[in-house]
Amino acid sequence: MDNHSKGFPKSQVFGFVLSLVLTFAALFVALKTSLSFNTIIWIIGTLAIVQAGLQLFMFMHLKEGEDGNSQTINVIYGVFIAVVTVAGSIWVMSFGM
Amino acid sequence: MGIKWDRFFITGDPLILGSQIAILLTMIGIVVLVSYLKKWKWLWTEWLTTVDHKRIGIMYILVGVLMFFRGGIDGLLMKAQTATPDGQLLDAQHYNEVFTTHGVVMILFMAMPFLIGIMNVIVPLQIGARDVAFPQLNALSFWLTFSGAMLFNISFVIGGSPDAGWTAYFPLAGKEFSPGIGNNFYAVAIQIAGIGTLMTGINFIVTILKMRAKGMTLMKMPMFSWTSFVTSIIIAASFPILTVALALMTFDRIFGTHFFTLSGGGMDMMWVNLFWLWGHPEVYIVVLPAFGMFSEVISTFSRKTLFGYKSMVGSIVGIAILSMLVWVHHFFTMGAGPGVNSIFSITTMMIAIPTGVKMFNWLFTMRKGRIQFTTAMLWALAFVPCFLIGGITGVMLAMGAADYQYHNTLFLVAHFHYVLIPGVVFAVFAGLYYWWPKMFGHMLNEKLGKLHFWLFVIGFNMTFMPMFFLGLNGAVRRAYTYSAESGFGPLMLVSAIGAGILAIGFAFFCYNIYWSARYADRNISSDPWDARTLEWATASPVQFYNFAKIPEVTSLDAFWYMKKKNKGLKFSNDELEEIHMPSNSGLPFIMSIVFGISGFLLVFEWKIAALVAALGILICLAIRSFDYNDGYHVPVDEIKEIEYGWQNKEKGVEKHVN
Ligand code: HEM
Ligand SMILES: [Cu+2]
């Protein structure tokens, strides 16, 4: 992604537009639909996570530099630990209900 | 805030009074000795302020030896108490304190310092680096560990020991049921040491990712460096959980919050959950570097490359993931329902797969090898069957339903000692016998080493094998006594005698250190074992800059092939360049003392004083941010002189191995 040297920052613009789309989609779901509260939370939560991932790649230079790979692995492992710790604890502490 | 002077010194128990006097005398003795020998300056410049990874490693190892002593005495006291029915040596309270401190000291202040110490000495050498990525941070890690260890250890003469088990389960460990300050020591001391460990983890991840010698791709890295790398990753993943859990515990105990209490909406099992979310990865943190050491030792003394290197790496990485997914097996009996318990039974049993892969790799490395039975290799050989017993009983315990029977019995105690002692203590001994010449320039005596080995291994099996059967017969853990009618007497006695033999074995180790320091031959080769990895490519003991010229790596077992092809070992003087090294700093030491003082005040719940002391920590941080000293350069002439000193000596390569 050497966009600085190639002139037009294609992927950044693409990421920016996609982020806008995702944000407005979330707004639309929350304000303009009559889905149940639960469904809305799930949908906008998912959209948020997708957007966080997108921004990591498009703007935070995750894959750039000499150790793009280890950074990607790092982030994935970090997310894995966070999910296991939080979701796992909730599941176990509710006795698996 | 109410200063509790009456709780300050523990009085009334002859054992503790004895220790108080002994500690006082030792302290006076050390001060007098150092002053008499005029060594204060030497101590300060060479050790207390050092940022050299090898010296820091040696200090870690020293802490490990001392703490093994402390934890071992606790173990012997317990064994002496339960040697006969209705023993009178310790009362219930004292027994509780002893098994609590034994567990904490052994895991956090014996196993961790030993392993991190050996990692410190060896990993930078193995990957061909001149130091770790953040040398001063490394010193801070050590001094925080030291400060935490000391704070924990003074608990039994000042203020009282923690007594709620090394797991410190709530509600017992809370203020309601343990109003004394003993458990404050637990919360604060482990916190301080844990911060140090977390920083070590980060430091080693960066070191291994960024500072490998030219040509050493990850898949050409020696196995011990691999295991240290994965261990560091697990540290970075799991220690924050401990930090948070201990902080919440501190809030509960000292500031009256209700995270884990029974009343006020607290959740006592949440402590258990968080504790084991850290606690299970912790056992892999201690056992993985040990696996790495065995890999090096077995491959060196079988004269073969490690069998199945790739599968070994794969299984270690697999363990890094699986180890985060099994924590509930420590509290199956909480009764979380069949869904939870079955999932965690299965993940736990799955860990046996990568571990089995490793076992076979070691066995196949030895197959058709020309095995040399050095002391280091003996430890590795004994490890295989002993650890297997620990592993198989582990799979038995992994079955949630069956665990309702084994839970809380001596069967479990036997199991985890069969995992931890072969998996950590044997490994540390193997590593020390193997790397001792690298650290000190002389070998440990092999004859004394073999005595140490046999006594320790026989003693170990005799101590813990009977506990399996006692446990199956219903002997519960953490019980200070039992009646004659229970029928536990004979096996308990065998076990106690075994502990005595084990202790004699350890005494031989200490004597060996002393004997070798005084009498061992100093004129040895820098590669006495004819070994395979880069740490042996430089002098023993290693010069402070490690390598005059960083070697280039083309294959696994780099040093072995350099010797075989006689390539890359020698360099001409005009290839030498100035070496950039980090300067010493007293800041880590001072900062850790401030940490210790602040922690001590917090333990006694003198909150304002603790806060004031904690300002000192911030001041140290600020001083560090304005520190522009970025090291010094070693001139080429000095390097030449040092290199000439060791490279051109005629020293027999293998004459010290029999
Ligand atoms: C030196 C020889 C050792 C002896 C004689 C010994 C003996 C014992 C005994 C008798 C107990 C308590 C049994 C009970 O519940 O009543 C115990 C508990 C324990 N030991 Fe050891 N042990 C030794 C080494 C180790 C090592 C090397 C480790 C760890 C690396 C270790 C870790 C533990 C832990 C974590 C506990 C549980 C403490 C608790 O219940 O809270 N021990 N040991
Ligand atoms: Cu576990």
Side-chain angles (χ1 to χ4, degrees), chain A residues 67 77 81 84 89 92-93 95-96, chain B residues 210 233 273 277 320 335-336 340:
Chain A
D67 35 32
Y77 188 65
I81 299 291
V84 166
S89 295
V92 172
M93 285 295 100
F95 284 54
Chain B
K210 289 284 183 189
I233 293 178
N273 182 66
L277 257 168
V340 174

Side-chain angles (χ1 to χ4, degrees), chain A residues 66-67 70 74 77 80-81 84-97, chain B residues 210 233 237 267 269-270 273 277 320-321 324-325 327-328 331 334-336 340 343-344:
Chain A
E66 48 178 323
D67 35 32
S70 47
N74 248 341
Y77 188 65
F80 164 75
I81 299 291
V84 166
T85 319
V86 176
S89 295
I90 293 174
W91 185 49
V92 172
M93 285 295 100
S94 58
F95 284 54
M97 304 302 174
Chain B
K210 289 284 183 189
I233 293 178
M267 208 175 188
M269 284 312 285
M270 194 54 165
N273 182 66
L277 257 168
I321 296 165
M324 297 300 302
L325 297 174
W327 75 98
V328 177
F331 50 105
M334 177 178 83
V340 174
I343 295 280
F344 282 94

Side-chain angles (χ1 to χ4, degrees), chain A residues 18-68:
Chain A
L18 214 58
S19 301
L20 284 180
V21 170
L22 288 167
T23 309
F24 280 107
L27 268 178
F28 175 79
V29 172
L31 298 176
K32 298 285 176 191
T33 57
S34 47
L35 298 167
S36 75
F37 178 75
N38 248 333
T39 331
I40 291 179
I41 290 290
W42 276 103
I43 293 176
I44 62 177
T46 317
L47 289 176
I49 290 170
V50 172
Q51 191 174 147
L54 184 94
Q55 299 207 350
L56 269 179
F57 279 95
M58 299 292 182
F59 304 137
M60 318 268 258
H61 313 282
L62 188 65
K63 298 288 285 179
E64 286 173 40
E66 48 178 323
D67 35 32

Side-chain angles (χ1 to χ4, degrees), chain B residues 157-175:
Chain B
V157 288
I158 297 179
S161 295
D163 55 1
W166 91 281
T167 49
Y169 279 3
F170 279 80
L172 176 62
K175 212 53 184 184

Side-chain angles (χ1 to χ4, degrees), chain B residues 276 279-280 283-284 326-327 329-330:
Chain B
W276 287 113
H280 190 88
V283 306
Y284 287 93
V326 297
W327 75 98
H329 65 215
H330 294 276

Side-chain angles (χ1 to χ4, degrees), chain B residues 524-573:
Chain B
I524 57 162
S525 137
S526 57
D527 175 27
W529 311 114
D530 197 8
R532 316 176 74 82
T533 40
L534 282 186
E535 73 268 31
W536 302 102
T538 189
S540 309
V542 184
Q543 60 278 48
F544 62 97
Y545 50 76
N546 290 2
F547 299 97
K549 179 169 171 283
I550 303 282
E552 238 176 83
V553 176
T554 50
S555 63
L556 191 61
D557 287 344
F559 181 50
W560 180 259
Y561 289 104
M562 284 177 178
K563 284 189 287 187
K564 284 273 118 91
K565 298 179 189 153
N566 203 2
K567 227 172 73 185
L569 282 174
K570 294 269 177 233
F571 47 86
S572 68
N573 273 345

